[in-house]
Amino acid sequence: MERDRRHIAIMGSTGSIGTQALEVIENHPDDFVVEVLTAYNNADLLIKQAIEHRPNAVVIGNDQRYDYVNDALSSEDIKVYAGSEALDSVVEMDTIDMVLAAMVGFSGLSSTVHSINAGKDIALANKETLVVAGEYITKLASEKAVNIYPVDSEHSAIFQCMVGEFHNRIERIILTASGGPFRGKKAEDLVNITKAQALKHPNWDMGAKITIDSATLMNKGLEVIEAKWLFNLDSDQIDVVVHPQSIIHSMVEFEDGSIKAQMGLPDMRIPIQFALSYPNRLKSAFPRFSFADYPMLNFEKPDMETFRNLALAYDALRKGGNVPCVLNAANEIAVDAFLHDKIGFLQIPDLIEGCLSKVPFIKSPRLEDYFETDKETRILAKEIIK
Ligand code: MG
């Protein structure tokens, strides 16, 4: 008899997390089935993935590419849908057990809300969802008895440290940060940074948006906010330490003063696999860590004066309400503008700060307020750039 395989919908299958998730799934055909694949623009890769992994359905977010995808898959027994409404409704399919939320940025929020409403467990790679609407999402998940398993390596590390400890209280968590490509630099060294320099991450191979966020330390700021909601912590229980080798993926300190760390080579396939297979650990052939290759592991305080985004994120977390949503939207516009050579590296925090000071504060946002705040912030950010 076939053992129960987990049926997975991958939202954002053509991105860095999506493609690595497919690799994990391919290595474990007795454990997983691909139920749905989605992409926004990358029709060619979506078609290739569909032919290889035989999902029940695919969605191309950009509906202008519908005919192209549909024609290519016309002889296959695969349903083809297009448009953002299809991204929301496809997650409601009965056959899905778990949704891997791997879309980039605010765009991942809507389908994740639909997934939770449909009672699907979430493997969460899209940190922006919790940054923007953490209070709403965690409350909804608990009402619907939906589990959210972190994919982000730091949060996976904390989650792994918590296995067997869920009745024990966390005193604080320590998120590790590589420090990015500009660690040790001061503002005057960063004036003329190019996007090619910012896109060269020392340890992790990731998508463009998150790589720039790593260079500005905004990625760590977003992760601080994400951790607050995933593990129900106060901002003063969340510390960040720079650890350039990225071997310790994060730590938990318990009330007896004991610290647990999760470590290994920086390889996103491990946290992806653990989120998909929890509570089981599946065998893998990923490269193993050797202590002899790393005689030194270093730690230092983050430089929040040079990399102001991390301070702005802590600030947004403490203010709460719609402030983290403003932070996120302004950052998405700023990163995009930097990648298109419209603003310099140091203007990224300037732009975010400008938006934070102008968008009206909403203390207890409803779901539609997040969409409104996001829209308003994007318009404002684009006006400031002009
Ligand atoms: Mg991370």
Side-chain angles (χ1 to χ4, degrees), residues 330-347:
N331 182 57
E332 285 190 30
I333 297 296
V335 170
D336 187 67
F338 174 72
L339 286 172
H340 290 91
D341 302 311
K342 287 183 189 152
I343 63 172
F345 189 78
L346 293 175
Q347 287 170 280

Side-chain angles (χ1 to χ4, degrees), residues 127 152-154 219 223:
K127 67 190 74 179
D152 212 342
S153 62
E154 294 77 0
N219 184 51
E223 289 179 354

Side-chain angles (χ1 to χ4, degrees), residues 42 54 93 103 175 181 197 206 231 262 296 298 339:
N42 195 341
R54 326 269 344 142
M93 276 171 37
M103 290 154 75
L175 296 175
Q197 291 169 297
M206 308 175 288
F231 304 108
Q262 187 268 339
M296 299 266 271
N298 302 90
L339 286 172

Side-chain angles (χ1 to χ4, degrees), residues 127 151-155 176 204 206 210 219-220 223 226 268:
K127 67 190 74 179
V151 170
D152 212 342
S153 62
E154 294 77 0
H155 306 75
T176 51
W204 296 96
M206 308 175 288
I210 186 172
N219 184 51
K220 212 48 55 182
E223 289 179 354
E226 181 186 14
M268 278 312 294

Side-chain angles (χ1 to χ4, degrees), residues 13 87 115 144 186 203 266 281 285 333:
S13 65
L87 289 170
S115 305
K144 302 283 176 187
K186 292 290 168 198
N203 303 331
R281 287 190 186 276
I333 297 296

Side-chain angles (χ1 to χ4, degrees), residues 39-330:
Y40 190 74
N41 258 328
N42 195 341
D44 288 315
L45 184 53
L46 182 66
I47 292 162
K48 184 168 172 275
Q49 291 176 336
I51 290 169
E52 233 169 273
H53 295 276
R54 326 269 344 142
N56 195 332
V58 300
V59 182
I60 182 83
N62 178 354
D63 47 22
Q64 313 243 332
R65 316 282 337 248
Y66 173 77
D67 288 340
Y68 184 76
V69 176
N70 196 43
D71 289 351
L73 297 177
S74 60
S75 60
E76 317 284 336
D77 185 21
I78 299 170
K79 299 180 198 83
V80 178
Y81 304 107
S84 49
E85 275 164 32
L87 289 170
D88 287 345
S89 54
V90 77
V91 295
E92 293 163 1
M93 276 171 37
D94 285 344
T95 45
I96 297 171
D97 297 315
M98 181 182 257
V99 174
L100 172 60
M103 290 154 75
V104 178
F106 184 86
S107 66
L109 175 61
S110 183
S111 67
T112 301
V113 170
H114 280 261
S115 305
I116 297 172
N117 273 318
K120 311 296 184 188
D121 280 342
I122 307 285
L124 187 73
N126 176 255
K127 67 190 74 179
E128 290 88 346
T129 297
L130 285 181
V131 170
V132 167
E135 189 166 9
Y136 177 88
I137 291 284
T138 47
K139 196 164 157 258
L140 186 65
S142 107
E143 279 167 20
K144 302 283 176 187
V146 159
N147 296 306
I148 299 178
Y149 301 109
V151 170
D152 212 342
S153 62
E154 294 77 0
H155 306 75
S156 175
I158 292 161
F159 185 63
Q160 292 182 57
C161 291
M162 290 302 293
V163 171
E165 301 274 10
F166 285 103
H167 63 290
N168 287 324
R169 286 182 44 191
I170 294 174
E171 187 160 282
R172 69 175 172 137
I173 62 170
I174 303 142
L175 296 175
T176 51
S178 69
F182 307 133
R183 183 175 59 88
K185 299 243 189 286
K186 292 290 168 198
E188 60 268 25
D189 310 317
L190 297 172
V191 178
N192 294 317
I193 285 300
T194 64
K195 67 181 177 198
Q197 291 169 297
L199 283 169
K200 250 194 215 118
H201 195 278
N203 303 331
W204 296 96
D205 181 11
M206 308 175 288
K209 199 261 174 181
I210 186 172
T211 304
I212 301 302
D213 283 345
S214 296
T216 65
L217 290 199
M218 180 55 94
N219 184 51
K220 212 48 55 182
L222 299 179
E223 289 179 354
V224 166
I225 302 174
E226 181 186 14
K228 184 237 158 35
W229 295 112
L230 277 173
F231 304 108
N232 190 23
L233 303 168
D234 289 328
S235 60
D236 57 7
Q237 288 177 288
I238 308 169
D239 284 345
V240 171
V241 68
V242 172
H243 165 42
Q245 295 86 4
S246 297
I247 296 301
I248 293 182
H249 301 312
S250 279
M251 295 169 263
V252 179
E253 185 171 35
F254 293 93
E255 291 187 304
D256 60 357
S258 181
I259 295 178
K260 277 174 139 183
Q262 187 268 339
M263 58 197 294
L265 290 173
D267 185 335
M268 278 312 294
R269 294 171 300 180
I270 295 175
I272 292 169
Q273 179 169 301
F274 191 66
L276 298 184
S277 69
Y278 178 84
N280 303 312
R281 287 190 186 276
L282 305 181
K283 215 172 159 58
S284 91
F286 307 147
R288 273 18 180 192
F289 174 72
S290 156
F291 279 89
D293 292 343
Y294 288 82
M296 299 266 271
L297 295 179
N298 302 90
F299 304 93
E300 62 196 43
K301 266 177 86 156
D303 175 1
M304 292 204 233
E305 272 163 41
T306 305
F307 300 93
R308 284 160 52 220
N309 278 353
L310 180 55
L312 292 175
Y314 265 108
D315 220 35
L317 173 58
R318 282 186 283 260
K319 287 183 179 135
N322 65 338
V323 180
C325 179
V326 176
L327 175 93
N328 178 70

